[in-house]
Amino acid sequence: MSKYVLITGASAGIGHEIAKEFAAKKFNLILVARREERLSVISKDLAQKYNIEATYIVADLSDPSSPQMIYNKTHALGLNVEILVNNAGYSINKKFHSTDELEEDNFLRVLGISVIHLTKLFLKDMLSKNSGRIMNVSSLAAFAPPATGWGAMYGPIKTFINRFGDTININYNSKGITATNVCPGFTVTEFHTASGMQDAMDKVPAIMKHDSKYVAKGAVKATLKGKQVWVPGLLNKTLAFICNVFPSSLVIKLSSRLAGGRYE
């Protein structure tokens, strides 16, 4: 049975670049996203360019039935998922009091609940083989105090994802399974435009921004090595350290100068 990497949010940004990195390493791919036309083009392109097998599954992870549907399809097709990449995500460009319950429910499901559900489903198969890799694309925001401006829930959810990855490692490392929490900072992708936050992103100093290819390359390398946490770049590593050891009040003052309105 051929071994595959399943990547959510694979139609753009970091997810697309992660797919390229795995394809270049001769891993077969299962790409998951909402946009079928883009998935079709990307899967065909990667299959031809890297001489691998690539397929796709159209799914909206805000739908509670999507994780089970994705899992069922991989089994029906006889696809052995060796590596699971939980990458799909977005942010809500509104104050917390301005969002309705459905918006928050969908947000929590895509960034949090679907990650748990997909991991639980594919983990069982990994346990039967005593082998598996899980990549959770988290964020530098996981280490920082919650935002007072846009995306108030984004940081807390990413903090949870990091702790979830820790839970997988503590419980299943002895079974040959590792989870890698990838925590990029500001990365140049479609993410900020799609989330209505491009103006805020434009305020961020260029020195703090990374290319999505750089992030994807490091993320794949860290996952294959079984690292528990990977933060791209010396500056981001320094900021993660500061967030962990300095008082929140000081972190907020520093971040308000750098993070494009995060604490306005």
Side-chain angles (χ1 to χ4, degrees):
M1 184 182 292
S2 298
K3 296 179 179 180
Y4 281 78
V5 181
L6 188 147
I7 306 166
T8 67
S11 63
I14 295 175
H16 184 193
E17 295 300 331
I18 288 172
K20 291 180 183 178
E21 286 296 320
F22 275 118
K25 294 181 181 295
K26 299 301 180 181
F27 284 90
N28 298 315
L29 303 174
I30 306 167
L31 308 180
V32 178
R34 294 177 299 171
R35 295 175 286 186
E36 182 170 10
E37 184 175 350
R38 291 191 68 163
L39 285 175
S40 177
V41 171
I42 291 169
S43 61
K44 289 177 183 177
D45 176 64
L46 294 179
Q48 293 173 359
K49 184 174 182 180
Y50 296 102
N51 192 28
I52 61 164
E53 297 176 17
T55 187
Y56 64 87
I57 298 173
V58 179
D60 183 347
L61 291 175
S62 67
D63 183 340
S65 67
S66 286
Q68 188 68 57
M69 179 272 287
I70 292 167
Y71 180 78
N72 290 347
K73 281 196 173 183
T74 62
H75 269 247
L77 294 171
L79 307 180
N80 175 24
V81 175
E82 181 183 19
I83 301 173
L84 171 65
V85 179
N86 293 306
N87 166 74
Y90 63 100
S91 189
I92 301 175
N93 187 24
K94 295 180 183 179
K95 292 280 190 178
F96 179 69
H97 67 271
S98 299
T99 58
D100 60 39
E101 291 183 10
L102 181 58
E103 281 182 296
E104 296 293 354
D105 284 350
N106 289 341
F107 186 61
L108 287 167
R109 189 164 295 283
V110 173
L111 276 74
I113 298 171
S114 70
V115 172
I116 298 170
H117 197 175
L118 283 168
T119 301
K120 182 180 287 290
L121 289 166
F122 287 103
L123 180 66
K124 294 175 182 178
D125 294 338
M126 293 177 182
L127 284 170
S128 69
K129 297 170 290 190
N130 291 314
S131 176
R133 295 286 183 269
I134 299 165
M135 181 200 299
N136 294 323
V137 179
S138 181
S139 171
L140 192 65
F143 304 108
T148 59
W150 41 261
M153 288 298 294
Y154 186 81
I157 293 175
K158 292 302 186 180
T159 301
F160 164 77
I161 290 301
N162 278 17
R163 297 299 287 170
F164 176 63
D166 293 343
T167 296
I168 296 299
N169 284 317
I170 288 171
N171 285 278
Y172 300 107
N173 274 183
S174 63
K175 304 296 185 181
I177 298 165
T178 62
T180 301
N181 296 320
V182 173
C183 301
F186 293 100
T187 306
V188 181
T189 68
E190 298 176 14
F191 175 90
H192 296 90
T193 301
S195 298
M197 299 185 296
Q198 190 59 49
D199 289 344
M201 181 62 166
D202 291 341
K203 296 177 184 178
V204 177
I207 193 174
M208 292 190 66
K209 298 176 182 178
H210 278 120
D211 180 85
S212 58
K213 292 181 181 179
Y214 168 78
V215 172
K217 189 177 186 67
V220 170
K221 184 177 180 179
T223 299
L224 293 176
K225 286 187 174 182
K227 290 188 176 182
Q228 293 193 15
V229 179
W230 183 73
V231 179
L234 180 60
L235 179 56
N236 282 334
K237 286 180 173 66
T238 302
L239 291 173
F241 173 78
I242 289 172
C243 289
N244 279 327
V245 301
F246 283 82
S248 293
S249 58
L250 182 60
V251 174
I252 289 173
K253 286 182 180 180
L254 175 63
S255 298
S256 63
R257 294 176 175 271
L258 300 173
R262 180 177 175 81
Y263 294 104
E264 293 177 0

